[in-house]
Amino acid sequence: MLIGVDVGGTNLRVGVIDGLEVVEEYRVNADFSGLCRNNTPEQAVRAIHAALFEALSTSLDKHPAVTSIGLGFPGFIVSGLVAQSPNLPGLQDVDLVTPLSEGLGCPVIIENDALAAAYGEYHLMGKKGAGLVYLGLGTGVGGGLIVDGRTFPGEHGVAMEVGHIIVEPGGRSCGCGNHGCMEQYASASGVSISYLEATGRREDAHRIAQLAKAGDVPAIKAYALAGEYLAQALVHILKVVDVAHIVIGGGMSVAWPLLKDSFGRRLDADLIPALRGKIRVTLSQAGDQAGMIGAALLSTPRLP
Ligand SMILES: [Zn+2]
């Protein structure tokens, strides 16, 4: 048995994994995002470590058969260090893994959360094909690339930071420091901004989805714009990585029926002709559990 942890900005999700199945899951409220914004980096790292240690030691006590632990973490991961995290500001080259492994007496690894989810999806799909591109639609838009069955994190941990592909030059400002990034339109927060711009009303993406289903035109357009920009970014991604299978996951993927028409139209129009009709887009098999499953699997020794 393995443990996979999906570390988010406001909570931790801990899954005990047997094979490819989450046999137990629990959530721990932990406002890491607030911690990082309101404390020195040293204080934030201590608090993050303490929260992870407590959650994991409780789980290990209950499940002594667990042999290793994987953390899916929102940030750029290089050689097991959190090099940087746009959503957890102040963290720089932080080693969470060594103190956790030593303190818990159990091997721990860390990987980018979307890349972990991509790896989870690849295994859940029976490791079919050479690889896949995973697009996680949440507060932002994360991405993960699997090539020849292996994760591809890039040399600086920023491979597949697809949410920051610029789709609207000079457009909405983004936390990364640029303007017009795809996640400013195609994420849950992007949908909220689109709706706010059109109506002057601030609603969350879930509520906007309900409004869209009830026929509210600005809500329908906010989701249609998300689908369009997601496809626009994807056509660029595919010119670089040429992978045949795209998996859409993350919390906002439940609203996929509201995005898929505009997404499909833009993809058909802009895809390089050599790829038309050859790209398979499917929804996540594991929903929001893919990150925990993938992180857990990455903690085991890799087969050649
Ligand atoms: Zn950006």
Side-chain angles (χ1 to χ4, degrees), residues 164 174 176 181:
H164 301 286
C174 180
C176 75
C181 293

Side-chain angles (χ1 to χ4, degrees), residues 198-279:
T199 65
R201 293 202 303 279
R202 192 177 295 279
E203 301 284 0
D204 66 29
H206 179 67
R207 174 70 187 139
I208 297 166
Q210 290 174 330
L211 290 165
K213 283 175 199 153
D216 181 281
V217 173
I220 292 168
K221 283 187 175 169
Y223 272 100
L225 189 68
E228 177 145 0
Y229 278 132
L230 186 67
Q232 197 175 316
L234 180 59
V235 298
H236 296 310
I237 297 166
L238 292 174
K239 280 175 225 165
V240 179
V241 301
D242 186 12
V243 163
H245 188 186
I246 314 302
V247 180
I248 308 283
M252 204 179 89
S253 63
V254 293
W256 184 245
L258 297 169
L259 288 87
K260 75 172 181 8
D261 290 349
S262 63
F263 174 91
R265 273 195 303 274
R266 178 51 60 196
L267 195 66
D268 286 346
D270 289 358
L271 205 56
I272 194 165
L275 295 181
R276 285 191 193 142
K278 295 179 180 168
I279 303 300

Side-chain angles (χ1 to χ4, degrees), residues 123-142:
H123 279 262
L124 286 162
M125 288 170 180
K127 299 191 274 185
K128 286 194 200 100
L132 57 80
V133 162
Y134 173 85
L135 299 173
L137 312 182
T139 312
V141 179

Side-chain angles (χ1 to χ4, degrees), residues 9-274:
T10 52
N11 62 56
L12 291 177
R13 291 172 59 215
V14 181
V16 179
I17 317 286
D18 191 359
L20 291 174
E21 205 178 321
V22 179
V23 292
E24 187 182 300
E25 179 189 338
Y26 60 95
R27 210 173 271 254
V28 179
N29 286 327
D31 183 9
F32 287 171
S33 184
L35 265 175
C36 289
R37 285 172 212 281
N38 301 320
N39 292 281
T40 65
E42 293 72 25
Q43 289 168 327
V45 169
R46 270 201 299 277
I48 290 171
H49 173 263
L52 286 168
F53 184 83
E54 189 184 331
L56 290 169
S57 54
T58 306
S59 202
L60 282 176
D61 285 347
K62 205 168 156 197
H63 300 280
V66 166
T67 51
S68 59
I69 298 167
L71 308 177
F73 199 88
F76 310 150
I77 310 297
V78 183
S79 306
L81 301 180
V82 181
Q84 206 193 324
S85 172
N87 296 318
L88 304 177
L91 303 187
Q92 199 173 357
D93 298 329
V94 173
D95 181 7
L96 289 168
V97 162
T98 306
L100 281 172
S101 299
E102 288 174 3
L104 295 164
C106 181
V108 179
I109 65 97
I110 189 166
E111 189 48 271
N112 171 270
D113 51 358
L115 189 52
Y119 196 65
E121 290 292 342
Y122 182 72
H123 279 262
L124 286 162
M125 288 170 180
K127 299 191 274 185
K128 286 194 200 100
L132 57 80
V133 162
Y134 173 85
L135 299 173
L137 312 182
T139 312
V141 179
L145 173 62
I146 305 298
V147 178
D148 293 335
R150 289 171 184 270
T151 54
F152 186 85
E155 288 191 41
H156 307 96
V158 300
M160 296 298 286
E161 281 297 322
V162 296
H164 301 286
I165 291 176
I166 293 172
V167 292
E168 181 72 55
R172 295 174 185 167
S173 69
C174 180
C176 75
N178 278 331
H179 285 82
C181 293
M182 181 259 275
E183 73 174 28
Q184 293 304 319
Y185 304 86
S187 66
S189 37
V191 167
S192 286
I193 298 168
S194 298
Y195 192 74
L196 177 68
E197 283 184 358
T199 65
R201 293 202 303 279
R202 192 177 295 279
E203 301 284 0
D204 66 29
H206 179 67
R207 174 70 187 139
I208 297 166
Q210 290 174 330
L211 290 165
K213 283 175 199 153
D216 181 281
V217 173
I220 292 168
K221 283 187 175 169
Y223 272 100
L225 189 68
E228 177 145 0
Y229 278 132
L230 186 67
Q232 197 175 316
L234 180 59
V235 298
H236 296 310
I237 297 166
L238 292 174
K239 280 175 225 165
V240 179
V241 301
D242 186 12
V243 163
H245 188 186
I246 314 302
V247 180
I248 308 283
M252 204 179 89
S253 63
V254 293
W256 184 245
L258 297 169
L259 288 87
K260 75 172 181 8
D261 290 349
S262 63
F263 174 91
R265 273 195 303 274
R266 178 51 60 196
L267 195 66
D268 286 346
D270 289 358
L271 205 56
I272 194 165

